[in-house]
Amino acid sequence: MKKLSVFLAVMAAVGLSAATTANAANNGKLMFKGTLTATTCEVLPGAGTGGGAAGEINVDLGNVSFRDIGTFAQGNLSTKEDIQLLVTCNGGGQPDSVKMRLVASQGSGLDLQEPKLLRTSGDAKGVGIGLINSNSQLMSLNGNETIDADFVPDGLGNSTATLDFAAVYVLNNVNTVPGSADGYLPFVMDYQ
């Protein structure tokens, strides 16, 4: 009887295996593509900007009164906080320039009232966070507009680019409520 039980168990396992194989008829392939380079680039906080965890740049917008900010059309940028990022590359095949894209959809998201602002989290209502380019213009945060800089070689096989811009609270036409107003904004560096 033991031999028959073992035989039936083995036959059931073979049958289950065949049934599983028969049901797994969908085929496909993974396509991988990439580029390797001898160049290593690092993004670090510059003047007036603090470092956080690996890959994070901290920007403190401070304690700001609603009366000191306005809509972007009003042009009140007195509470803006300057941001400087230093991009340093070393190794062979140095890039000539860098373009930084801001992708709000992968972070706090775009403000529902004013789509050029970063949505804030926290208790405060009535504001978003705007990023200001070097021409004092409110930037689009949808990943299409870039902050650009050329690399400057140091003669030792390294090169550095400096990205300068600013952040500011901007009213978004919602009734204001005081409190914390935080946000996070992922960025992508494109080297050329």
Side-chain angles (χ1 to χ4, degrees):
M1 188 69 174
K2 259 186 174 180
K3 288 183 181 179
L4 181 58
S5 296
V6 171
F7 176 74
L8 289 175
V10 169
M11 289 309 292
V14 169
L16 181 61
S17 174
T20 302
T21 304
N23 290 332
N26 292 336
N27 297 320
K29 55 182 145 178
L30 297 172
M31 306 294 290
F32 297 97
K33 185 178 180 179
T35 304
L36 299 175
T37 178
T39 304
T40 301
C41 297
E42 182 176 35
V43 180
L44 299 171
T49 309
E56 293 181 1
I57 308 295
N58 292 326
V59 179
D60 186 356
L61 294 176
N63 255 341
V64 179
S65 170
F66 280 113
R67 73 169 188 229
D68 294 330
I69 61 176
T71 64
F72 190 76
Q74 294 168 333
N76 189 353
L77 303 178
S78 63
T79 63
K80 74 178 172 120
E81 183 66 35
D82 291 330
I83 303 169
Q84 183 180 74
L85 300 182
L86 303 176
V87 184
T88 302
C89 297
N90 56 50
Q94 295 287 321
D96 294 323
S97 63
V98 60
K99 294 179 179 290
M100 177 180 171
R101 291 183 287 126
L102 307 162
V103 191
S105 63
Q106 296 175 7
S108 298
L110 294 173
D111 187 89
L112 299 176
Q113 308 304 315
E114 175 54 63
K116 279 200 166 186
L117 301 179
L118 182 67
R119 182 183 313 154
T120 61
S121 61
D123 300 328
K125 304 287 185 240
V127 298
I129 298 171
L131 263 67
I132 310 300
N133 64 21
S134 59
N135 297 323
S136 296
Q137 297 297 311
L138 189 62
M139 296 180 59
S140 171
L141 305 179
N142 63 7
N144 294 330
E145 190 172 342
T146 62
I147 301 168
D148 306 341
D150 292 329
F151 280 97
V152 177
D154 67 1
L156 302 172
N158 303 316
S159 58
T160 303
T162 304
L163 300 167
D164 291 306
F165 53 106
V168 66
Y169 285 124
V170 180
L171 295 177
N172 65 3
N173 297 314
V174 172
N175 290 337
T176 58
V177 174
S180 63
D182 305 328
Y184 71 101
L185 180 60
F187 58 83
V188 176
M189 296 296 194
D190 297 316
Y191 301 98
Q192 300 177 345

